[in-house]
Amino acid sequence: MNKSKLILVRHGQSEWNKQDKFTGWVDVPLSSEGKKEAKVAGEEIKKLDINFDYSFSSILKRSIQTYEEINKVCHINNELIQDWRLNERHYGNLQGLNKQEMRNLHGDEQVLLWRRSYDVKPPKINLESHNKLINQECFKKVNINPFPKNESLKDTVFRLKPFISNKLFPIIKSRKNIFISAHGNSIRAMLKYIENISDEDIIKIEIPTGKPMLLEFNDNKLESKKYI
């Protein structure tokens, strides 16, 4: 086999996606619709008949649950490696707030900047919410220093570089197949790095929930990319 196949899936709809809230690093589970999306994704992935050598997710439960629902269908059955670097972008003080209410308060343009720009950060998280975030169960076994108070997409790309360079690329180079369950912005960050997408063009890229993307690499070079 001279090709490596990489499947990227943004988690299915979460309970806060359903409520149109900024979620970020808050550990919110999938909604019932999100579990259905993951099951459908699993059925599409199963048709490809890929033998996965490695599986990764973030440490957030909506990402892990998406893997679990897909695994029920596909029987990936290798150890799931959880890595905090695959977490969603940290939305700072916006986390838990309704997106439309923020548009009404700050205007569409400002909210769009916070959501889709490359280097604009949302407002820093307040101290009380920051402490609650750090004390979530998912963060108790990882050492994140410094623990961010907000992130731009640029920051997300920066924290993903070690994962891509030290884990992902060596696996691709060894011609192995990889499954990754992650988040809209961590997937955008990976694509920006892998494809060298410009700061201007990355703004236009939207990643739908529960829709698998297949990337094929030949001799360690990206050969094709498509949704399945």
Side-chain angles (χ1 to χ4, degrees):
M1 185 179 69
N2 59 7
K3 289 188 179 181
S4 173
K5 294 181 173 66
L6 168 62
I7 293 282
L8 297 173
V9 186
R10 180 186 174 190
H11 62 79
Q13 182 195 68
S14 72
E15 287 292 349
W16 277 16
N17 290 144
K18 184 178 177 181
Q19 298 173 45
D20 198 29
K21 290 181 177 181
F22 288 97
T23 310
W25 282 24
V26 181
D27 200 12
V28 176
L30 292 181
S31 66
S32 57
E33 180 61 30
K35 290 181 179 179
K36 290 177 186 175
E37 286 179 343
K39 181 181 178 182
V40 171
E43 290 166 352
E44 293 302 313
I45 295 168
K46 187 177 182 180
K47 292 176 186 176
L48 299 177
D49 195 27
I50 297 173
N51 180 29
F52 290 102
D53 301 287
Y54 293 89
S55 300
F56 295 94
S57 76
S58 76
I59 64 172
L60 299 171
K61 65 180 66 171
R62 57 193 185 274
S63 171
I64 298 166
Q65 288 175 334
T66 297
Y67 166 82
E68 290 171 346
E69 293 300 318
I70 289 173
N71 190 39
K72 288 176 186 177
V73 179
C74 292
H75 307 294
I76 297 171
N77 291 336
N78 49 37
E79 179 189 2
L80 179 65
I81 302 167
Q82 298 172 24
D83 194 313
W84 72 270
R85 296 182 188 278
L86 287 165
N87 280 10
E88 178 57 292
R89 176 183 165 196
H90 188 320
Y91 270 110
N93 218 38
L94 297 177
Q95 294 177 161
L97 300 178
N98 180 272
K99 292 172 186 174
Q100 187 54 53
E101 289 177 4
M102 291 300 97
R103 292 187 194 100
N104 296 341
L105 184 62
H106 298 285
D108 291 350
E109 187 176 340
Q110 180 61 66
V111 173
L112 187 64
L113 271 175
W114 285 331
R115 293 190 66 201
R116 288 291 169 262
S117 66
Y118 181 57
D119 55 7
V120 175
K121 298 187 182 191
K124 283 186 179 181
I125 194 169
N126 65 59
L127 182 60
E128 181 182 358
S129 297
H130 184 65
N131 289 336
K132 284 182 181 178
L133 201 66
I134 291 174
N135 287 318
Q136 290 180 125
E137 191 64 33
C138 63
F139 291 117
K140 289 183 178 178
K141 294 182 180 180
V142 292
N143 180 26
I144 304 172
N145 187 22
F147 197 100
K149 295 186 177 180
N150 57 358
E151 286 182 313
S152 64
L153 183 61
K154 184 177 181 179
D155 296 324
T156 310
V157 172
F158 181 78
R159 71 161 146 91
L160 269 161
K161 282 182 180 179
F163 172 84
I164 297 168
S165 299
N166 302 331
K167 291 186 179 180
L168 188 60
F169 280 173
I171 295 171
I172 290 170
K173 189 174 183 179
S174 66
R175 298 172 181 176
K176 303 292 187 181
N177 297 323
I178 310 146
F179 173 88
I180 297 179
S181 173
H183 305 262
N185 282 301
S186 53
I187 290 175
R188 289 172 73 220
M190 279 190 281
L191 293 177
K192 188 181 193 309
Y193 190 86
I194 291 169
E195 298 185 87
N196 196 26
I197 300 170
S198 71
D199 298 356
E200 294 75 28
D201 288 342
I202 195 63
I203 295 169
K204 306 166 192 173
I205 294 176
E206 176 76 25
I207 308 295
T209 57
K211 186 74 174 171
M213 180 188 293
L214 171 65
L215 287 75
E216 291 188 300
F217 296 84
N218 194 355
D219 293 328
N220 216 28
K221 293 181 180 179
L222 181 63
E223 190 176 72
S224 64
K225 181 186 75 173
K226 64 180 180 180
Y227 284 105
I228 60 172

Short mmCIF file of all heavy atoms in Angstrom, two decimals, residues 5-9 45 50-59 63-64 66-68 70-72 74-84 86 163 167-168 171 176-182 190:
data_model
loop_
_atom_site.label_atom_id
_atom_site.label_comp_id
_atom_site.label_asym_id
_atom_site.label_seq_id
_atom_site.Cartn_x
_atom_site.Cartn_y
_atom_site.Cartn_z
N LYS A 5 -4.63 6.88 4.12
CA LYS A 5 -5.96 7.49 4.13
C LYS A 5 -6.22 8.08 5.51
O LYS A 5 -5.95 7.45 6.54
CB LYS A 5 -7.04 6.46 3.79
CG LYS A 5 -6.96 5.95 2.34
CD LYS A 5 -8.06 4.95 2.07
CE LYS A 5 -8.10 4.58 0.60
NZ LYS A 5 -6.90 3.83 0.18
N LEU A 6 -6.73 9.31 5.52
CA LEU A 6 -7.07 10.03 6.75
C LEU A 6 -8.53 10.43 6.70
O LEU A 6 -8.95 11.13 5.77
CB LEU A 6 -6.18 11.26 6.90
CG LEU A 6 -6.57 12.29 7.97
CD1 LEU A 6 -6.53 11.69 9.37
CD2 LEU A 6 -5.66 13.53 7.88
N ILE A 7 -9.30 9.98 7.66
CA ILE A 7 -10.69 10.41 7.80
C ILE A 7 -10.77 11.44 8.93
O ILE A 7 -10.34 11.17 10.05
CB ILE A 7 -11.64 9.23 8.13
CG1 ILE A 7 -11.74 8.26 6.95
CG2 ILE A 7 -13.02 9.74 8.53
CD1 ILE A 7 -12.64 8.71 5.83
N LEU A 8 -11.30 12.62 8.62
CA LEU A 8 -11.57 13.66 9.61
C LEU A 8 -13.07 13.81 9.77
O LEU A 8 -13.79 13.95 8.77
CB LEU A 8 -10.98 15.00 9.16
CG LEU A 8 -9.46 15.09 8.98
CD1 LEU A 8 -9.09 16.44 8.37
CD2 LEU A 8 -8.75 14.90 10.31
N VAL A 9 -13.55 13.78 11.00
CA VAL A 9 -14.98 13.99 11.27
C VAL A 9 -15.15 15.01 12.37
O VAL A 9 -14.59 14.85 13.46
CB VAL A 9 -15.69 12.68 11.70
CG1 VAL A 9 -17.20 12.90 11.82
CG2 VAL A 9 -15.41 11.55 10.74
N ILE A 45 -18.54 5.67 6.26
CA ILE A 45 -17.13 5.25 6.40
C ILE A 45 -17.00 3.74 6.17
O ILE A 45 -16.05 3.28 5.52
CB ILE A 45 -16.59 5.64 7.79
CG1 ILE A 45 -16.53 7.17 7.93
CG2 ILE A 45 -15.19 5.04 8.02
CD1 ILE A 45 -16.28 7.66 9.34
N ILE A 50 -12.04 0.66 4.95
CA ILE A 50 -10.69 1.05 5.34
C ILE A 50 -10.30 0.31 6.63
O ILE A 50 -11.09 0.27 7.59
CB ILE A 50 -10.59 2.57 5.57
CG1 ILE A 50 -10.87 3.33 4.27
CG2 ILE A 50 -9.20 2.95 6.10
CD1 ILE A 50 -10.96 4.84 4.45
N ASN A 51 -9.12 -0.22 6.65
CA ASN A 51 -8.57 -0.80 7.87
C ASN A 51 -7.77 0.28 8.59
O ASN A 51 -6.66 0.62 8.16
CB ASN A 51 -7.69 -2.00 7.54
CG ASN A 51 -7.10 -2.63 8.79
OD1 ASN A 51 -7.68 -2.57 9.87
ND2 ASN A 51 -5.92 -3.21 8.65
N PHE A 52 -8.32 0.82 9.66
CA PHE A 52 -7.66 1.92 10.36
C PHE A 52 -6.58 1.39 11.30
O PHE A 52 -6.80 0.46 12.07
CB PHE A 52 -8.67 2.74 11.15
CG PHE A 52 -9.60 3.54 10.28
CD1 PHE A 52 -10.90 3.11 10.04
CD2 PHE A 52 -9.17 4.72 9.68
CE1 PHE A 52 -11.75 3.84 9.23
CE2 PHE A 52 -10.01 5.46 8.87
CZ PHE A 52 -11.31 5.02 8.64
N ASP A 53 -5.42 2.04 11.24
CA ASP A 53 -4.30 1.67 12.10
C ASP A 53 -4.25 2.49 13.38
O ASP A 53 -3.76 2.04 14.40
CB ASP A 53 -2.99 1.84 11.34
CG ASP A 53 -2.93 0.99 10.08
OD1 ASP A 53 -2.78 -0.23 10.22
OD2 ASP A 53 -3.07 1.55 8.97
N TYR A 54 -4.76 3.76 13.30
CA TYR A 54 -4.74 4.67 14.44
C TYR A 54 -6.05 5.45 14.50
O TYR A 54 -6.62 5.81 13.47
CB TYR A 54 -3.59 5.68 14.33
CG TYR A 54 -2.21 5.07 14.43
CD1 TYR A 54 -1.56 4.60 13.31
CD2 TYR A 54 -1.57 4.96 15.67
CE1 TYR A 54 -0.29 4.04 13.40
CE2 TYR A 54 -0.31 4.41 15.77
CZ TYR A 54 0.33 3.95 14.62
OH TYR A 54 1.57 3.39 14.72
N SER A 55 -6.50 5.70 15.73
CA SER A 55 -7.69 6.52 15.96
C SER A 55 -7.39 7.58 17.00
O SER A 55 -6.80 7.27 18.05
CB SER A 55 -8.86 5.66 16.45
OG SER A 55 -9.19 4.68 15.50
N PHE A 56 -7.80 8.80 16.71
CA PHE A 56 -7.57 9.92 17.63
C PHE A 56 -8.88 10.68 17.86
O PHE A 56 -9.75 10.73 16.98
CB PHE A 56 -6.55 10.91 17.04
CG PHE A 56 -5.17 10.36 16.87
CD1 PHE A 56 -4.77 9.83 15.66
CD2 PHE A 56 -4.26 10.40 17.92
CE1 PHE A 56 -3.48 9.33 15.49
CE2 PHE A 56 -2.97 9.90 17.76
CZ PHE A 56 -2.58 9.36 16.54
N SER A 57 -8.98 11.29 19.02
CA SER A 57 -10.06 12.25 19.31
C SER A 57 -9.50 13.32 20.22
O SER A 57 -8.38 13.19 20.75
CB SER A 57 -11.26 11.56 19.97
OG SER A 57 -10.96 11.28 21.34
N SER A 58 -10.27 14.38 20.43
CA SER A 58 -9.92 15.33 21.48
C SER A 58 -10.26 14.70 22.82
O SER A 58 -10.69 13.54 22.89
CB SER A 58 -10.71 16.63 21.28
OG SER A 58 -12.06 16.46 21.70
N ILE A 59 -10.09 15.44 23.90
CA ILE A 59 -10.44 14.91 25.22
C ILE A 59 -11.87 15.30 25.62
O ILE A 59 -12.31 14.98 26.72
CB ILE A 59 -9.44 15.37 26.31
CG1 ILE A 59 -9.49 16.89 26.50
CG2 ILE A 59 -8.03 14.91 25.97
CD1 ILE A 59 -8.67 17.37 27.70
N SER A 63 -16.55 14.67 21.12
CA SER A 63 -15.62 14.07 20.16
C SER A 63 -15.47 12.58 20.42
O SER A 63 -15.51 11.76 19.49
CB SER A 63 -14.27 14.78 20.25
OG SER A 63 -13.28 14.12 19.51
N ILE A 64 -15.32 12.21 21.68
CA ILE A 64 -15.18 10.80 22.07
C ILE A 64 -16.45 10.03 21.75
O ILE A 64 -16.41 8.92 21.20
CB ILE A 64 -14.83 10.69 23.57
CG1 ILE A 64 -13.48 11.36 23.85
CG2 ILE A 64 -14.81 9.23 24.02
CD1 ILE A 64 -13.21 11.61 25.32
N THR A 66 -18.63 10.69 19.49
CA THR A 66 -18.75 10.54 18.03
C THR A 66 -17.94 9.33 17.57
O THR A 66 -18.42 8.52 16.77
CB THR A 66 -18.29 11.82 17.32
OG1 THR A 66 -19.17 12.89 17.70
CG2 THR A 66 -18.31 11.66 15.81
N TYR A 67 -16.71 9.21 18.07
CA TYR A 67 -15.91 8.01 17.76
C TYR A 67 -16.65 6.75 18.19
O TYR A 67 -16.72 5.76 17.43
CB TYR A 67 -14.55 8.07 18.45
CG TYR A 67 -13.85 6.73 18.44
CD1 TYR A 67 -13.13 6.31 17.33
CD2 TYR A 67 -13.94 5.87 19.55
CE1 TYR A 67 -12.52 5.06 17.30
CE2 TYR A 67 -13.32 4.63 19.53
CZ TYR A 67 -12.63 4.23 18.41
OH TYR A 67 -12.04 2.99 18.40
N GLU A 68 -17.21 6.75 19.39
CA GLU A 68 -17.87 5.55 19.91
C GLU A 68 -19.06 5.13 19.05
O GLU A 68 -19.25 3.94 18.79
CB GLU A 68 -18.31 5.80 21.36
CG GLU A 68 -17.14 5.89 22.34
CD GLU A 68 -17.55 6.34 23.72
OE1 GLU A 68 -18.69 6.84 23.90
OE2 GLU A 68 -16.73 6.21 24.66
N ILE A 70 -19.53 5.90 15.85
CA ILE A 70 -19.00 5.44 14.56
C ILE A 70 -18.39 4.05 14.70
O ILE A 70 -18.58 3.18 13.84
CB ILE A 70 -17.97 6.45 14.02
CG1 ILE A 70 -18.68 7.74 13.58
CG2 ILE A 70 -17.16 5.87 12.87
CD1 ILE A 70 -17.77 8.88 13.18
N ASN A 71 -17.71 3.82 15.79
CA ASN A 71 -17.07 2.53 16.03
C ASN A 71 -18.09 1.40 16.14
O ASN A 71 -17.81 0.26 15.75
CB ASN A 71 -16.21 2.59 17.29
CG ASN A 71 -15.33 1.37 17.47
OD1 ASN A 71 -14.78 0.84 16.51
ND2 ASN A 71 -15.20 0.92 18.71
N LYS A 72 -19.28 1.70 16.65
CA LYS A 72 -20.33 0.68 16.75
C LYS A 72 -20.72 0.16 15.37
O LYS A 72 -21.10 -0.99 15.21
CB LYS A 72 -21.57 1.27 17.43
CG LYS A 72 -21.43 1.51 18.92
CD LYS A 72 -22.67 2.19 19.47
CE LYS A 72 -22.50 2.57 20.93
NZ LYS A 72 -23.68 3.32 21.46
N CYS A 74 -18.64 0.77 12.37
CA CYS A 74 -17.46 0.42 11.56
C CYS A 74 -16.56 -0.63 12.18
O CYS A 74 -15.75 -1.24 11.48
CB CYS A 74 -16.60 1.67 11.32
SG CYS A 74 -17.36 2.88 10.29
N HIS A 75 -16.67 -0.81 13.50
CA HIS A 75 -15.78 -1.74 14.21
C HIS A 75 -14.31 -1.40 13.94
O HIS A 75 -13.53 -2.25 13.50
CB HIS A 75 -16.09 -3.19 13.83
CG HIS A 75 -17.54 -3.55 14.00
ND1 HIS A 75 -18.16 -3.58 15.23
CD2 HIS A 75 -18.49 -3.84 13.08
CE1 HIS A 75 -19.44 -3.92 15.07
NE2 HIS A 75 -19.67 -4.06 13.78
N ILE A 76 -13.97 -0.14 14.20
CA ILE A 76 -12.58 0.31 14.03
C ILE A 76 -11.68 -0.48 14.98
O ILE A 76 -10.62 -0.98 14.59
CB ILE A 76 -12.46 1.83 14.31
CG1 ILE A 76 -13.30 2.61 13.28
CG2 ILE A 76 -11.01 2.27 14.27
CD1 ILE A 76 -13.43 4.09 13.58
N ASN A 77 -12.11 -0.55 16.23
CA ASN A 77 -11.53 -1.48 17.21
C ASN A 77 -10.03 -1.35 17.43
O ASN A 77 -9.35 -2.33 17.72
CB ASN A 77 -11.86 -2.94 16.85
CG ASN A 77 -13.33 -3.23 17.03
OD1 ASN A 77 -14.02 -2.56 17.79
ND2 ASN A 77 -13.83 -4.22 16.30
N ASN A 78 -9.46 -0.16 17.28
CA ASN A 78 -8.11 0.03 17.82
C ASN A 78 -8.18 1.07 18.94
O ASN A 78 -9.21 1.72 19.12
CB ASN A 78 -7.09 0.42 16.74
CG ASN A 78 -7.55 1.56 15.85
OD1 ASN A 78 -8.21 2.48 16.32
ND2 ASN A 78 -7.23 1.50 14.57
N GLU A 79 -7.14 1.17 19.69
CA GLU A 79 -7.15 2.05 20.86
C GLU A 79 -7.40 3.50 20.44
O GLU A 79 -6.74 4.02 19.53
CB GLU A 79 -5.81 1.96 21.59
CG GLU A 79 -5.73 2.87 22.81
CD GLU A 79 -4.32 2.93 23.38
OE1 GLU A 79 -3.42 2.31 22.81
OE2 GLU A 79 -4.13 3.63 24.40
N LEU A 80 -8.35 4.15 21.10
CA LEU A 80 -8.60 5.56 20.84
C LEU A 80 -7.60 6.39 21.64
O LEU A 80 -7.56 6.32 22.86
CB LEU A 80 -10.03 5.94 21.24
CG LEU A 80 -10.39 7.43 21.04
CD1 LEU A 80 -10.36 7.79 19.56
CD2 LEU A 80 -11.76 7.75 21.65
N ILE A 81 -6.81 7.17 20.93
CA ILE A 81 -5.82 8.04 21.56
C ILE A 81 -6.42 9.43 21.70
O ILE A 81 -6.77 10.07 20.70
CB ILE A 81 -4.53 8.10 20.73
CG1 ILE A 81 -3.96 6.69 20.55
CG2 ILE A 81 -3.50 9.02 21.40
CD1 ILE A 81 -2.88 6.60 19.49
N GLN A 82 -6.58 9.89 22.93
CA GLN A 82 -7.19 11.20 23.18
C GLN A 82 -6.09 12.25 23.36
O GLN A 82 -5.14 12.03 24.14
CB GLN A 82 -8.08 11.14 24.42
CG GLN A 82 -9.24 10.17 24.27
CD GLN A 82 -10.00 9.97 25.56
OE1 GLN A 82 -9.99 10.82 26.45
NE2 GLN A 82 -10.68 8.83 25.69
N ASP A 83 -6.21 13.35 22.65
CA ASP A 83 -5.18 14.39 22.68
C ASP A 83 -5.85 15.76 22.81
O ASP A 83 -6.66 16.13 21.96
CB ASP A 83 -4.34 14.32 21.40
CG ASP A 83 -3.04 15.12 21.50
OD1 ASP A 83 -3.09 16.28 21.96
OD2 ASP A 83 -1.97 14.60 21.12
N TRP A 84 -5.49 16.49 23.84
CA TRP A 84 -6.14 17.79 24.10
C TRP A 84 -5.86 18.79 22.98
O TRP A 84 -6.65 19.73 22.77
CB TRP A 84 -5.68 18.38 25.44
CG TRP A 84 -4.27 18.88 25.46
CD1 TRP A 84 -3.15 18.18 25.77
CD2 TRP A 84 -3.83 20.20 25.14
NE1 TRP A 84 -2.03 18.98 25.68
CE2 TRP A 84 -2.43 20.24 25.28
CE3 TRP A 84 -4.49 21.38 24.74
CZ2 TRP A 84 -1.66 21.37 25.05
CZ3 TRP A 84 -3.73 22.52 24.50
CH2 TRP A 84 -2.34 22.52 24.65
N LEU A 86 -6.33 18.42 20.00
CA LEU A 86 -7.42 18.31 19.03
C LEU A 86 -8.70 18.98 19.52
O LEU A 86 -9.72 18.96 18.81
CB LEU A 86 -7.69 16.84 18.70
CG LEU A 86 -6.63 16.14 17.84
CD1 LEU A 86 -6.80 14.63 17.90
CD2 LEU A 86 -6.71 16.64 16.40
N PHE A 163 1.17 18.11 17.28
CA PHE A 163 0.40 16.90 16.97
C PHE A 163 0.59 16.51 15.51
O PHE A 163 0.83 15.34 15.17
CB PHE A 163 -1.08 17.11 17.26
CG PHE A 163 -1.96 15.98 16.79
CD1 PHE A 163 -2.14 14.85 17.57
CD2 PHE A 163 -2.61 16.04 15.55
CE1 PHE A 163 -2.93 13.79 17.13
CE2 PHE A 163 -3.40 14.99 15.11
CZ PHE A 163 -3.55 13.87 15.90
N LYS A 167 3.06 13.41 15.40
CA LYS A 167 2.19 12.23 15.40
C LYS A 167 1.61 11.94 14.02
O LYS A 167 1.80 10.86 13.46
CB LYS A 167 1.06 12.39 16.43
CG LYS A 167 1.51 12.36 17.87
CD LYS A 167 0.32 12.38 18.82
CE LYS A 167 0.79 12.34 20.27
NZ LYS A 167 -0.38 12.36 21.22
N LEU A 168 0.89 12.92 13.46
CA LEU A 168 0.13 12.69 12.24
C LEU A 168 1.04 12.42 11.04
O LEU A 168 0.89 11.41 10.34
CB LEU A 168 -0.79 13.87 11.97
CG LEU A 168 -1.79 13.70 10.82
CD1 LEU A 168 -2.71 12.52 11.07
CD2 LEU A 168 -2.61 14.98 10.62
N ILE A 171 2.89 9.05 10.87
CA ILE A 171 1.98 7.94 10.56
C ILE A 171 1.65 7.94 9.06
O ILE A 171 1.63 6.89 8.41
CB ILE A 171 0.69 8.04 11.40
CG1 ILE A 171 1.00 7.85 12.88
CG2 ILE A 171 -0.33 6.98 10.95
CD1 ILE A 171 -0.17 8.16 13.80
N LYS A 176 0.12 4.43 6.85
CA LYS A 176 -0.94 3.87 7.69
C LYS A 176 -2.21 4.70 7.53
O LYS A 176 -2.17 5.85 7.08
CB LYS A 176 -0.50 3.87 9.16
CG LYS A 176 0.79 3.11 9.44
CD LYS A 176 0.63 1.63 9.23
CE LYS A 176 1.88 0.89 9.68
NZ LYS A 176 1.77 -0.56 9.45
N ASN A 177 -3.34 4.13 7.94
CA ASN A 177 -4.63 4.80 7.85
C ASN A 177 -5.06 5.33 9.21
O ASN A 177 -4.89 4.65 10.22
CB ASN A 177 -5.69 3.85 7.30
CG ASN A 177 -5.38 3.39 5.89
OD1 ASN A 177 -4.87 4.17 5.07
ND2 ASN A 177 -5.67 2.13 5.58
N ILE A 178 -5.67 6.50 9.21
CA ILE A 178 -5.94 7.23 10.46
C ILE A 178 -7.38 7.72 10.48
O ILE A 178 -7.89 8.23 9.47
CB ILE A 178 -5.01 8.45 10.59
CG1 ILE A 178 -3.55 8.07 10.34
CG2 ILE A 178 -5.18 9.12 11.95
CD1 ILE A 178 -2.75 9.14 9.66
N PHE A 179 -8.00 7.60 11.65
CA PHE A 179 -9.33 8.18 11.89
C PHE A 179 -9.20 9.24 12.98
O PHE A 179 -8.60 8.99 14.03
CB PHE A 179 -10.32 7.10 12.34
CG PHE A 179 -11.65 7.64 12.76
CD1 PHE A 179 -12.66 7.83 11.84
CD2 PHE A 179 -11.90 8.00 14.09
CE1 PHE A 179 -13.88 8.35 12.21
CE2 PHE A 179 -13.11 8.53 14.47
CZ PHE A 179 -14.11 8.70 13.52
N ILE A 180 -9.77 10.42 12.74
CA ILE A 180 -9.73 11.49 13.74
C ILE A 180 -11.14 12.07 13.93
O ILE A 180 -11.77 12.53 12.97
CB ILE A 180 -8.77 12.63 13.35
CG1 ILE A 180 -7.33 12.12 13.27
CG2 ILE A 180 -8.86 13.78 14.36
CD1 ILE A 180 -6.31 13.17 12.86
N SER A 181 -11.61 12.04 15.16
CA SER A 181 -12.85 12.71 15.54
C SER A 181 -12.47 13.99 16.29
O SER A 181 -11.85 13.92 17.35
CB SER A 181 -13.70 11.79 16.44
OG SER A 181 -14.82 12.49 16.93
N ALA A 182 -12.83 15.13 15.73
CA ALA A 182 -12.39 16.39 16.32
C ALA A 182 -13.51 17.44 16.25
O ALA A 182 -14.68 17.11 16.40
CB ALA A 182 -11.10 16.87 15.65
N MET A 190 -6.10 22.05 11.15
CA MET A 190 -5.32 20.99 10.51
C MET A 190 -5.26 21.17 9.01
O MET A 190 -4.20 21.02 8.38
CB MET A 190 -5.91 19.62 10.87
CG MET A 190 -5.49 19.11 12.23
SD MET A 190 -5.96 17.38 12.51
CE MET A 190 -7.69 17.58 12.90
#
